[in-house]
Structure formats: structure tokens, C-alpha cells
Amino acid sequence: MRLKTFLAVAGLVAGGALVASAPVAAAATPDGVVQSPQVDKLTQSQSEKFWTPERLRSARPVAQDVPKVAAQPQAANPVLTPGGDQFGNAQVARPYTSDFKARVTGKVFFVNPRDGLTYVCSGSVINSTGKSVVATAAHCVFQGGAGQSIWSSNFIFIPSYDNNSRPLGTWNAATFWIPTTYFNHGNDGFTHEDDVASVAISAQGANKITNVVGGLGWVSNNSGTINGWDTHGYPQEMYGGQNQLHCIGNGRDAGGFNGDTYLFTNNCVAFGGHSGGPVINASNQLLAVTSGSDRSTNSFYARAASNTWIPVLNAAQAAGF
């Protein structure tokens, strides 16, 4: 099952942009995690200067490994989201800051050092001991092939992003963790069930992101049928990326590349820009992150599983985040 990865891309970075050089990856740790070096090369003011409203708005998705004839997305079946469109997606009510799930969900922007292009994903703030972790997809932070040491740079997270508005600020990444299995097969253009990452977020003075925004709990070892969850994100493909959308779905296991399982649904169709967005249960806990869709069987989510998510979260917490 070969699935398209959701990377979203904007235009070429303008000359003189503050793009950090591609760092060398840290060695894999015994617990199955690979950490990037410290990636926070920009000050807060530099980051906000680089990510102008024009750069934020001009981002658009490009799927990796694009087929010669693009697959047309099938409609969700059935649509469970109140007010949902044919793909199951509905706009989140504004202001996003007034609803917990919408508040902790945000938009990710970064530069891929391989090509100098700016990209976009989704993510969410997670509870951690250091109150400084964002969850997203591994393909949003790791840009190398198998074992290549290429990581996203100029990475920012904007919680409750709303049509270029940053109601809860702009937050820089300090470092990333991904599963060793993901590092070993690389960002190869396909979705994988280990497509998870923890992002350490730099504090702004005495302010830590979870204290400002709030944070999701998380559930490990979830498997099988899970009904009534809610996924959030910022799809740019089809929807323009300026609004936060959500979708209610029921899920079940679907086989993966590495022997684990995806959380699969035919109630929601994910699009470019959805990547890394949270799948949230009724207890405001993270079940999975959006990984991709092959359009014929709708959407796949990388579960918060014990052998993937728990190691990357524990690594972030052990580092003080």
C-alpha cells in the first residue's frame, strides 16, 4: 500500500533569507529515537521577520511522488461531522482560542534545506513535564532519505492560526525527535505508521507554550475500533489553508509498512496541509497525527503507539521539554 505523504510547499525562499544550514543528525539513542541538533538558529524577532504575512499566505501544498494522473479524492462515506462537506470536513467556529481543541491546534511552517522551499503542516500542543512540546508528523521535521541527516529549519508553530492572525504568538522550534525506524527508511514520499515527531518549543522569556496555550493529553497503545474522535488541521489543498477545519470519524486498524497499524477512516478525507494535525478523543487526548491518504481509501493516521510516540515524547521530556 503506497500512500502519498502530505508535504505542503510555498514559493522559493527569497534571497538573503535567514535559513540555517542543514544540521548533522545526532546518533540514534538506545530507546529507538533519533534527535536533530539544536535547530533554533533565529531569535524571536528574526523568526517573525522571516515569516512575513506574505510567506505565510503564499504557502501551497505539493504532494511527494505525484502520479502522472492525480488521483481524484473520493467522498467520505458516511459523513459524520455536523455541517461537514462531501469530504467530511467542516470549518471550526471562530474564535479558535475559545475552543480547547482548536486552541491547541496550530499551523507549522518550515524550510526544507534540500530545496530551499518553504513548507507547511499542522500540529498540536501536548502536555509534557517541561510544558514545551508540539506533536506533528515526522515528515514535517525530517527531510532526509534513509539515514540522511537533513532536518527542517526556520521551523515555527502558530497555535490557533487564523488567516494570517497569530492570536497566541509565534513559537520557534529548538530540536526534534523522530523514531529510529523513520530515520532508517527516510522521508521517502509515502506515509508510514511511525510518522510521528515531538518538537521541542523554545520558551519566550518565562513563558512556555503549554502554559500559554494549554496541551492535549495522550493515549498510548490504542488499537482497533475507535469511534467518535475529532481531527483538526489546516488543509491548504482544496481549502486554502487559512481556516482551521475539523472532521469527526470512526477508525479501525489498517496494516502498515513496519508491522504496526494505522488508524484508518473513511469518514474524513485529508488533504495537503493536514499533515501532523491531531486526532483527538472525547477526553482531549491525542490518539494519532495525520500522516496521509491515498485518495481511494481516504485517510490514514499514525497512532500514538508505545513503540513510536512514547519514545519521542519521553526523549523530549528527558531533555527538559
Side-chain angles (χ1 to χ4, degrees), residues 277-307:
V279 178
I280 308 170
N281 67 13
S283 299
N284 288 332
Q285 296 170 311
L286 182 76
L287 295 174
V289 300
T290 302
S291 182
S293 169
D294 66 1
R295 301 303 178 84
S296 64
T297 52
N298 299 322
S299 298
F300 290 79
Y301 307 94
R303 290 183 188 264
S306 60
N307 61 340

Side-chain angles (χ1 to χ4, degrees), residues 216-276:
L216 295 170
W218 44 269
V219 178
S220 63
N221 295 322
N222 61 81
S223 62
T225 300
I226 303 175
N227 294 328
W229 42 257
D230 192 3
T231 183
H232 284 241
Y234 291 85
Q236 305 227 163
E237 181 186 6
M238 300 288 293
Y239 297 96
Q242 300 307 309
N243 305 305
Q244 187 178 142
L245 274 67
H246 80 113
C247 183
I248 304 296
N250 296 332
R252 61 183 185 277
D253 286 338
F257 289 104
N258 301 321
D260 298 333
T261 55
Y262 296 99
L263 178 64
F264 165 82
T265 187
N266 56 4
N267 305 130
C268 304
V269 183
F271 292 96
H274 260 130
S275 282

Side-chain angles (χ1 to χ4, degrees), residues 55-270:
R55 278 206 176 102
L56 298 181
R57 186 179 291 277
S58 65
R60 64 186 186 274
V62 172
Q64 291 184 313
D65 194 31
V66 178
K68 291 182 179 180
V69 179
Q72 294 299 312
Q74 292 189 0
N77 182 28
V79 173
L80 302 180
T81 314
D85 62 14
Q86 63 178 321
F87 302 119
N89 297 309
Q91 288 196 23
V92 174
R94 289 179 166 89
Y96 302 149
T97 53
S98 67
D99 175 80
F100 180 78
K101 293 177 183 177
R103 179 183 175 89
V104 300
T105 301
K107 203 166 180 180
V108 165
F109 296 87
F110 61 93
V111 173
N112 184 341
R114 293 176 67 100
D115 54 19
L117 300 176
T118 53
Y119 289 74
V120 61
C121 283
S122 299
S124 59
V125 186
I126 302 300
N127 286 331
S128 66
T129 54
K131 302 184 182 301
S132 303
V133 174
V134 161
T136 191
H139 72 258
C140 300
V141 306
F142 182 66
Q143 306 308 325
Q148 290 182 320
S149 302
I150 304 174
W151 301 80
S152 300
S153 62
N154 286 33
F155 188 105
I156 62 168
F157 176 74
I158 303 177
S160 299
Y161 176 92
D162 183 0
N163 195 24
N164 261 339
S165 173
R166 314 180 193 193
L168 299 174
T170 301
W171 298 81
N172 294 347
T175 189
F176 315 119
W177 290 267
I178 62 172
T180 302
T181 52
Y182 195 94
F183 182 81
N184 288 341
H185 63 63
N187 187 340
D188 55 10
F190 308 117
T191 59
H192 292 272
E193 69 276 21
D194 55 4
D195 189 15
V196 295
S198 60
V199 180
I201 298 296
S202 298
Q204 297 183 8
N207 295 324
K208 296 183 177 181
I209 190 168
T210 305
N211 289 335
V212 174
V213 177
L216 295 170
W218 44 269
V219 178
S220 63
N221 295 322
N222 61 81
S223 62
T225 300
I226 303 175
N227 294 328
W229 42 257
D230 192 3
T231 183
H232 284 241
Y234 291 85
Q236 305 227 163
E237 181 186 6
M238 300 288 293
Y239 297 96
Q242 300 307 309
N243 305 305
Q244 187 178 142
L245 274 67
H246 80 113
C247 183
I248 304 296
N250 296 332
R252 61 183 185 277
D253 286 338
F257 289 104
N258 301 321
D260 298 333
T261 55
Y262 296 99
L263 178 64
F264 165 82
T265 187
N266 56 4
N267 305 130
C268 304
V269 183

